[in-house]
C-alpha cells in the first residue's frame, strides 16, 4: 500500500527510485567507561577522526568543479571553521579524561551540551547553525565508527536511481553526491532556507525536507516516488500510482523540452502586446541558467546572498567582480541589483567586530534592509561603489528594498551621489545616470505611490513581503502559511494601484515576488496591466507560454470584476474564467 509522506517542497521535479536510507551513526552509540591508561588512546582516536573529517573537507574544496556555486566553497569552509572550534575539537577530549569514557560517548555528550545552548538562541539563523554542528558531529562519529561517509551504490538499473533518505544531509555530503546516481533527497529536518534546500536547488535535484520521522518510516530498498513540487514522498507505491508518476515524469521532461523551444520566441501576447520577462538571481553563477532561457534581463539580483555564509563583509572589489560577472554575461541586457536586503530570515554570520542587524523582538519589522544600510553607511557606500563600477560594463539599475518613506529614498539617492564622487576622486568617472528604483513591499509605499513615482526611475513589487505585511502573516511561519493569500482583495488592490501609478507616471513597474512566477496568476497580472515579470529562471518559459496564449481583451473585463469585489468566491470565479479564456 502506498504510504504518502508530506514535507516542505524545496526543489521541483519528479524522481522515481529505490530508497537508500542513510542511517545515523549517532544512533546506538557505544557508551563505555575506559581505564585511565586508555584515555590517551581514546583522545588519539578522537583527534584522528577530527583530522580525517577536516582533510575530507579540504579535499572536497580543492576538487570542486569549476561550475560549482561559490556558496558551496563558503559552506565547506564554514564547516571546517566550526569543527576547529575548541568546543567541538577539544572539549570532547576533556570529557574523555574527566569522565573516563570512550570517544563516541564524549562526542555525544558534548553535542547535547551544544545543542541545548543553541536551542536557547532566538535568532533563527544562529539556531540553524545547530544543524551544522549536528552534521559535523555525525561525520566525526562516522569516522570514529569506521563508516563510509556516503555509501551510494551504483545505479539499480539503467532507468532507476536512488532516493536518498536521511535525517539530515550536510552540504559536504551533498557535494559528494554530485556525480552519484541520486535522483532525489528526502530529509527529516530542514526548511526552505536550509543549506540542504539551497544546494538541492542549485544541483537541480528534486527534494522534500521536513518529512518528520521519514528516515525511520522508510525502509531501505523500498520503491519511492518524490514529487518535489508537491513536497511529497510516496513510498512503496501501488502499480497504478507508479505508472501515473512515470507518465507525469515523462510529460514533465517533454514539456521542458517543448518549452525550451520558446527560448528565442519574442514574448508577445496573442494580441501583439510586448511583455518583458526578466529573471531573479541570488548568486552570479545563476546567470548561466538565465542566459539559457533567454531572459530579457535580470529583474532582481538578491545581492545579500553574497554576504551570507561568511564571517567577513565582501570588499568593494569582490562585490564588483560578482556584479561584473553578471553584467558581462547579460551582454547588454539590463541587470537590476538590489542593495543589501538583510534581516528577518536572511541573516549574517559575522564576527563581533563587524556590524550586523541587531537582534530584534520582531525581525521582520526591525532594523533590516534599507534601514540597516542607512544606519551603516560604510557598508552601503562600499556596495554602491561596486555597483556603480559594474555599470561601466553594461546597463545596470539600483533597486532599493523595503522603502517606506520619502526620507529613505532621498538619503539613498544622496549616498549614491556620494559613492559616485568617491569613485571620481579615484579617477573612475561614472557619467551615465544609473536608474534608481524601489521595491514596493511595505504597505506604506503601496499606499503613497506618488511619493515613489515622483522621485524614482522604476518600481518593482515584492509580493512576498507585501503579502506578509498587508495580511500580517509571517512568511516563514508554517503555522500561518495557509493564510498567506496572494489573491486577498487587499493585495490585488495594492498591486493594481502600483501598476497603474507606474503607467500614469510613465515609469516601468515589474513584479519580482513569487507571484510573478506562478502561472496560475499570470493572466490576472497581465489583465491588471503588468508588462514586466521577474521570475526564477526555471519558471520563465512557463510564464512565457501563458503570455503567448493570452488575448488581453478577452480577460481585461473579468480582471476588473475581480478588482471590484471583496468576495473571495467571485475572485475564484474570475480566476477560472480567465484561465479558460
Ligand atoms: C519580495 O519580497 O517579494 C521579494 C522579491 O524579495 P525577497 O523575497 O528577497 O524578500
Ligand atoms: Mg522582500
Amino acid at each position: 500500500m502506498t504510504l504518502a509522506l508530506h514535507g516542505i517542497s524545496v526543489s521541483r521535479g519528479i524522481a522515481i527510485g529505490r530508497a537508500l536510507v542513510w542511517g545515523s551513526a549517532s544512533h546506538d552509540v557505544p557508551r563505555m567507561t575506559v581505564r585511565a591508561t586508555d584515555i590517551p588512546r581514546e583522545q588519539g582516536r578522537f583527534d584522528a577522526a577530527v583530522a580525517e573529517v577536516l582533510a575530507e573537507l579540504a579535499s572536497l574544496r580543492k576538487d570542486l568543479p569549476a561550475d560549482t556555486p561559490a556558496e558551496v566553497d563558503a559552506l565547506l569552509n564554514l564547516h571546517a571553521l566550526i569543527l576547529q572550534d575548541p568546543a567541538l575539537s577539544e572539549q570532547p577530549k576533556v570529557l574523555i579524561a574527566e569522565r573516563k569514557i570512550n570517544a563516541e560517548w564524549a562526542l555525544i555528550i558534548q553535542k547535547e551540551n551544544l545543542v541545548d545552548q543553541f536551542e536557547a538562541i532566538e535568532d533563527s539563523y544562529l539556531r540553524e547553525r545547530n544543524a551544522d554542528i549536528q552534521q559535523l558531529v555525525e561525520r566525526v562519529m562516522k569516522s570514529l565508527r569506521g563508516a563510509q561517509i556516503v555509501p551510494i551504490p551504483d545505479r539499480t538499473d539503467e532507468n532507476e536511481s536512488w532516493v536518498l533518505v536521511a535525517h539530515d544531509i550536510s552540504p559536504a555530503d551533498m557535494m559528494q553526491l554530485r556525480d552519484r546516481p541520486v535522483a532525489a533527497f528526502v530529509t527529516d529536518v530542514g526548511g526552505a532556507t536550509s543549506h540542504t534546500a539551497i544546494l538541492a536547488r542549485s544541483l537541480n535535484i528534486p527534494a522534500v525536507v521536513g518529512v518528520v520521522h521519514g528516515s525511520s518510516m522508510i525502509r531501505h530498498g523500498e520503491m519511492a516516488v518524490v514529487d518535489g513540487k508537491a513536497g511529497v514522498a510516496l513510498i512503496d507505491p501501488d502499480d497504478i500510482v507508479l505508472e501515473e508518476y512515470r507518465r507525469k515524469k515523462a510529460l514533465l521532461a517533454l514539456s521542458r523540452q517543448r518549452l525550451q523551444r520558446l527560448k528565442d520566441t519574442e514574448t508577445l501576447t496573442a494580441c501583439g502586446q510586448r511583455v518583458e520577462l526578466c529573471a531573479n538571481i541570488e548568486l552570479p553563477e545563476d546567470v548561466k541558467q538565465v542566459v539559457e532561457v533567454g531572459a530579457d534581463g535580470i529583474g532582481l539580483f538578491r545581492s545579500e546572498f553574497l554576504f551570507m555564509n561568511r564571517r567577513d563583509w565582501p570588499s568593494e572589489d569582490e562585490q564588483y567582480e560578482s556584479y561584473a560577472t553578471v553584467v558581462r554575461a547579460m551582454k547588454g541586457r539590463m541587470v537590476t541589483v538590489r542593495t543589501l536586503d538583510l534581516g528577518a530570515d536572511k541573516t549574517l554570520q559575522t564576527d563581533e567586530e563587524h556590524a550586523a542587524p541587531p537582534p530584534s523582538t520582531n525581525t521582520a519589522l526591525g532594523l533590516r534592509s534599507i534601514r540597516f544600510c542607512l544606519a551603516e553607511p560604510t557598508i552601503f557606500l562600499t556596495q554602491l561603489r561596486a555597483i556603480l563600477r559594474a555599470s561601466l560594463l553594461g546597463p545596470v539599475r539600483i533597486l532599493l528594498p523595503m522603502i517606506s518613506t520619502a526620507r529613505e529614498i532621498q538619503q539613498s539617492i544622496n549616498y549614491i551621489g556620494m559613492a559616485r564622487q568617491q569613485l571620481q576622486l579615484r579617477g573612475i568617472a561614472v557619467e551615465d545616470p544609473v536608474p534608481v528604483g524601489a521595491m514596493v513591499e511595505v504597505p506604506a509605499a503601496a499606499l503613497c505611490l506618488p511619493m515613489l513615482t515622483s522621485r524614482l526611475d522604476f518600481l518593482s513589487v515584492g509580493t512576498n513581503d507585501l503579502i506578509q505585511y498587508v495580511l500580517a502573516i509571517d512568511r516563514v511561519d508554517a503555522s500561518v502559511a495557509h493564510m498567506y493569500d496572494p489573491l486577498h482583495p487587499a493585495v490585488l488592490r495594492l498591486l493594481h494601484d502600483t501598476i497603474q501609478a507606474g503607467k500614469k507616471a510613465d515609469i516601468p513597474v515589474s513584479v519580482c515576488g513569487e507571484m510573478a512566477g506562478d502561472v496560475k496568476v499570470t493572466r490576472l497580472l497581465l489583465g491588471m496591466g503588468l508588462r514586466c515579470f521577474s521570475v526564477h529562471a526555471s519558471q520563465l518559459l512557463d510564464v512565457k507560454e501563458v503570455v503567448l496564449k493570452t488575448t488581453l481583451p478577452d480577460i481585461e473585463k473579468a480582471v476588473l470584476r475581480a478588482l471590484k469585489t471583496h468576495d473571495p468566491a467571485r475572485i475564484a470565479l474570475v480566476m477560472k474564467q480567465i484561465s479558460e479564456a
Side-chain angles (χ1 to χ4, degrees):
M1 205 186 71
T2 309
L3 168 70
L5 299 174
H6 294 265
I8 302 166
S9 132
V10 293
S11 183
R12 301 196 306 168
I14 290 175
I16 300 174
R18 296 262 163 213
L20 191 141
V21 183
W22 189 23
S24 164
S26 307
H27 287 158
D28 304 324
V29 172
R31 293 167 196 236
M32 292 177 287
T33 49
V34 296
R35 287 189 300 252
T37 46
D38 288 339
I39 288 174
R41 187 198 63 201
E42 287 304 304
Q43 291 177 325
R45 282 182 65 231
F46 180 77
D47 276 340
V50 170
E52 188 187 357
V53 176
L54 284 174
E56 215 175 71
L57 289 167
S59 118
L60 273 172
R61 288 185 71 195
K62 190 163 75 53
D63 298 335
L64 283 177
D67 61 344
T68 309
E71 201 191 6
V72 174
D73 185 50
L75 288 175
L76 295 173
N77 185 33
L78 173 66
H79 271 203
L81 288 172
I82 295 176
L83 185 52
Q84 287 171 83
D85 191 292
L88 260 188
S89 59
E90 294 299 325
Q91 189 56 24
K93 290 190 287 179
V94 175
L95 290 169
I96 292 173
E98 276 176 6
R99 303 195 187 185
K100 297 198 183 61
I101 53 177
N102 64 333
E104 287 89 341
W105 195 358
L107 180 57
I108 284 291
I109 294 175
Q110 181 57 5
K111 178 186 93 168
E112 280 159 10
N113 289 342
L114 291 172
V115 166
D116 285 348
Q117 286 168 24
F118 268 80
E119 264 162 15
I121 297 176
E122 272 192 21
D123 181 290
S124 62
Y125 180 79
L126 280 179
R127 262 204 324 270
E128 215 164 85
R129 301 289 65 77
N130 197 347
D132 293 303
I133 290 180
Q134 307 217 30
Q135 289 164 354
L136 281 162
V137 166
E138 176 73 13
R139 290 176 78 81
V140 175
M141 190 64 83
K142 280 198 162 97
S143 169
L144 274 173
R145 301 183 75 180
Q148 223 186 324
I149 297 290
V150 187
I152 302 286
D154 288 337
R155 215 167 273 273
T156 49
D157 74 34
E158 66 180 49
N159 294 318
E160 281 179 3
S161 302
W162 295 98
V163 168
L164 188 72
V165 180
H167 178 67
D168 195 7
I169 302 171
S170 73
D173 291 332
M174 199 165 267
M175 286 316 295
Q176 285 189 327
L177 298 170
R178 226 182 132 90
D179 304 316
R180 313 295 290 272
V182 175
F185 298 110
V186 176
T187 62
D188 298 349
V189 296
T193 58
S194 64
H195 294 147
T196 309
I198 294 168
L199 287 179
R201 277 197 291 273
S202 79
L203 297 176
N204 232 338
I205 293 181
V208 182
V209 303
V211 179
V212 183
H213 302 307
S215 66
S216 43
M217 286 160 77
I218 303 171
R219 282 195 301 267
H220 188 75
E222 277 183 314
M223 200 64 195
V225 171
V226 176
D227 183 338
K229 188 173 173 201
V232 67
L234 301 168
I235 311 304
D236 193 17
D238 298 337
D239 286 350
I240 299 176
V241 174
L242 198 55
E243 215 25 69
E244 175 62 12
Y245 270 93
R246 287 210 167 104
R247 201 181 59 82
K248 275 193 180 178
K249 189 171 177 233
L251 281 177
L252 196 68
L254 268 181
S255 112
R256 281 189 180 159
Q257 268 176 24
R258 189 174 47 79
L259 279 179
Q260 200 53 37
R261 289 198 218 121
L262 296 181
K263 170 184 177 263
D264 299 317
T265 308
E266 195 182 357
T267 316
L268 295 175
T269 59
C271 51
Q273 175 67 54
R274 172 89 171 98
V275 173
E276 219 182 318
L277 294 184
C278 295
N280 295 349
I281 60 169
E282 273 87 47
L283 290 167
E285 294 80 8
D286 300 339
V287 77
K288 191 166 162 260
Q289 206 189 345
V290 171
V291 172
E292 273 167 20
V293 297
D296 291 315
I298 303 286
L300 172 66
F301 182 168
R302 290 183 162 101
S303 68
E304 56 277 8
F305 279 78
L306 301 172
F307 293 66
M308 287 155 69
N309 286 315
R310 52 187 295 160
R311 287 180 183 274
D312 55 350
W313 294 92
S315 66
E316 179 189 319
D317 282 351
E318 194 183 337
Q319 288 187 61
Y320 165 72
E321 284 306 330
S322 297
Y323 307 137
T325 303
V326 176
V327 175
R328 286 194 195 102
M330 290 307 289
K331 296 199 171 101
R333 282 167 287 176
M334 183 60 82
V335 174
T336 310
V337 183
R338 181 173 70 185
T339 58
L340 190 57
D341 183 23
L342 283 177
D345 59 326
K346 290 180 286 195
T347 43
L348 286 183
Q349 156 113 31
T350 46
D351 287 336
E352 272 168 29
E353 72 257 31
H354 296 109
S360 162
T361 44
N362 186 333
T363 52
L365 303 179
L367 186 71
R368 59 167 293 202
S369 200
I370 194 70
R371 304 167 185 179
F372 171 71
C373 285
L374 295 176
E376 292 290 341
T378 312
I379 294 170
F380 196 32
L381 282 166
T382 304
Q383 176 169 44
L384 292 173
R385 286 194 304 272
I387 302 174
L388 289 175
R389 279 171 59 193
S391 78
L392 295 173
L393 306 171
V396 167
R397 307 192 293 186
I398 296 176
L399 178 58
L400 306 168
M402 278 279 289
I403 289 292
S404 58
T405 66
R407 192 180 151 85
E408 285 166 346
I409 301 173
Q410 198 47 56
Q411 283 185 331
S412 302
I413 290 174
N414 291 348
Y415 278 121
I416 294 169
M418 214 182 284
R420 194 186 289 271
Q421 278 170 9
Q422 289 173 343
L423 288 176
Q424 209 146 24
L425 287 176
R426 280 165 34 193
I428 305 172
V430 183
E431 269 143 22
D432 290 341
V434 174
V436 180
M439 298 279 293
V440 178
E441 51 186 351
V442 177
L447 291 165
C448 296
L449 288 157
M451 172 181 91
L452 307 184
T453 52
S454 60
R455 294 175 169 84
L456 293 161
D457 304 308
F458 69 99
L459 299 179
S460 190
V461 190
T463 48
N464 306 340
D465 275 318
L466 186 63
I467 297 168
Q468 145 165 284
Y469 293 125
V470 169
L471 303 184
I473 302 294
D474 185 343
R475 62 192 262 201
V476 292
D477 184 342
S479 64
V480 287
H482 62 286
M483 296 167 73
Y484 190 90
D485 179 13
L487 297 183
H488 191 291
V491 174
L492 300 187
R493 177 80 45 82
L494 293 179
L495 254 168
H496 180 253
D497 288 354
T498 309
I499 294 166
Q500 294 308 318
K503 273 215 166 95
K504 197 166 155 214
D506 199 22
I507 67 168
V509 174
S510 66
V511 173
C512 64
E514 293 305 301
M515 241 180 126
D518 179 355
V519 288
K520 293 194 290 304
V521 296
T522 306
R523 286 192 164 169
L524 178 72
L525 295 173
L526 286 170
M528 286 184 187
L530 186 72
R531 297 293 176 262
C532 179
F533 296 65
S534 190
V535 305
H536 190 270
S538 64
Q539 301 164 323
L540 191 137
L541 295 174
D542 296 277
V543 174
K544 188 185 247 191
E545 189 179 36
V546 179
V547 173
L548 297 176
K549 287 183 182 159
T550 301
T551 306
L552 293 169
D554 290 352
I555 59 165
E556 279 165 343
K557 282 203 186 97
V559 171
L560 276 182
R561 278 203 302 281
L563 291 168
K564 282 193 182 131
T565 179
H566 291 158
D567 178 0
R570 294 192 68 176
I571 294 175
L573 184 67
V574 167
M575 293 303 289
K576 187 164 177 298
Q577 285 167 348
I578 62 175
S579 72
E580 289 166 357

